[in-house]
Amino acid sequence: MCPSMFIETICVENGVALNLGLHDRRMNRTRKVFYPDAPPIDLSEFLPDFSMLRGRCKCRVSYARDLIDVEHSPCLPRSFRRLRLVNDDEIDYAHKRADREALNRLFALRGMADDVLIVRNGLLTDTSIANIALFDENRNRWLTPARPLLKGTKREQLLAEGILTESDLRAEQLPEFTRLRLFNALIHWGEAEIDVDNISYSDEPCVK
């Protein structure tokens, strides 16, 4: 495996870095895969003092074997009204790489939608920036893809809290649901929700 640059995107809310332990765990899992001899890193030892910040900010940590850069910026809100399904059976984003070329290529297929919902081997995964969940009205529960492109830290938190249930969700099952939520470290649970009727099918051929 070729070494790469990886990132963690941490939400800072009113001066507090959220879910830092989950970011630590994911970062060190990635480093263990690519740099087996690297000792664990504790992010809290490298982050600046955020205590004077108000509102929501984005802290981006870049790393490889060692921590390379830490920067923060205001978190700009993003609205979602429509998604477009796109297919890519080969995409691999199991580790949060700085190189988003494959995701950006799919995002370019969104047409008039706000983002794409990526289908891999017939299964729903993620949008280009967020994990997803679909509401199962019959059992009053939220289902999230069991095989997402990236296991996000917010997803891990929601699973641990029992808010989400993992399930293999096929694209053809979408009409069985009414609501879809998008979430990630910066988009909190319940902040981004659309009607399933606002998910369209791409006219583009499957990406190979």
Side-chain angles (χ1 to χ4, degrees):
M1 289 176 289
C2 296
S4 301
M5 182 82 74
F6 303 95
I7 59 172
E8 284 295 322
T9 305
I10 301 165
C11 180
V12 179
E13 192 94 50
N14 293 322
V16 178
L18 304 182
N19 285 337
L20 203 53
L22 295 178
H23 287 287
D24 267 340
R25 190 184 311 170
R26 183 172 64 181
M27 177 187 66
N28 286 312
R29 281 198 305 258
T30 296
R31 293 173 64 249
K32 195 70 175 176
V33 170
F34 292 89
Y35 308 94
D37 63 332
I41 288 176
D42 183 345
L43 282 170
S44 65
E45 297 178 1
F46 296 89
L47 298 185
D49 181 7
F50 295 124
S51 61
M52 299 302 292
L53 296 180
R54 290 294 171 262
R56 190 176 304 176
C57 298
K58 174 174 68 174
C59 175
R60 176 186 166 107
V61 176
S62 303
Y63 68 95
R65 187 186 189 283
D66 301 307
L67 228 60
I68 293 172
D69 187 47
V70 178
E71 57 186 11
H72 66 274
S73 60
C75 182
L76 302 177
R78 181 171 169 182
S79 63
F80 298 90
R81 296 178 301 277
R82 289 183 291 178
L83 298 176
R84 170 169 279 192
L85 286 173
V86 297
N87 295 277
D88 188 340
D89 291 344
E90 307 299 330
I91 189 168
D92 178 11
Y93 197 66
H95 302 282
K96 194 172 174 64
R97 299 177 184 271
D99 180 2
R100 289 177 48 88
E101 181 181 353
L103 293 171
N104 292 338
R105 185 179 68 248
L106 295 178
F107 181 70
L109 301 178
R110 70 193 181 282
M112 298 300 292
D114 300 296
D115 202 349
V116 292
L117 177 50
I118 301 164
V119 180
R120 181 175 59 188
N121 297 318
L123 297 174
L124 300 174
T125 61
D126 302 328
T127 75
S128 73
I129 67 161
N131 292 133
I132 66 157
L134 291 159
F135 187 60
D136 179 358
E137 292 187 354
N138 293 328
R139 298 188 179 182
N140 192 35
R141 61 180 184 172
W142 287 93
L143 302 179
T144 194
R147 287 178 262 187
L149 297 183
L150 179 71
K151 293 182 178 180
T153 54
K154 177 63 70 173
R155 177 183 182 275
E156 190 171 348
Q157 176 194 353
L158 294 170
L159 284 169
E161 292 174 351
I163 294 171
L164 295 179
T165 300
E166 290 184 311
S167 180
D168 280 337
L169 299 169
R170 304 194 66 83
E172 59 265 28
Q173 290 179 271
L174 275 173
E176 300 174 14
F177 303 93
T178 57
R179 293 184 284 157
L180 178 146
R181 282 186 178 178
L182 302 87
F183 53 94
N184 61 23
L186 297 171
I187 303 172
H188 295 344
W189 178 247
E191 289 184 342
E193 181 174 308
I194 69 168
D195 293 336
V196 168
D197 289 343
N198 290 331
I199 302 174
S200 61
Y201 290 79
S202 174
D203 296 325
E204 299 285 339
C206 292
V207 177
K208 298 297 184 182

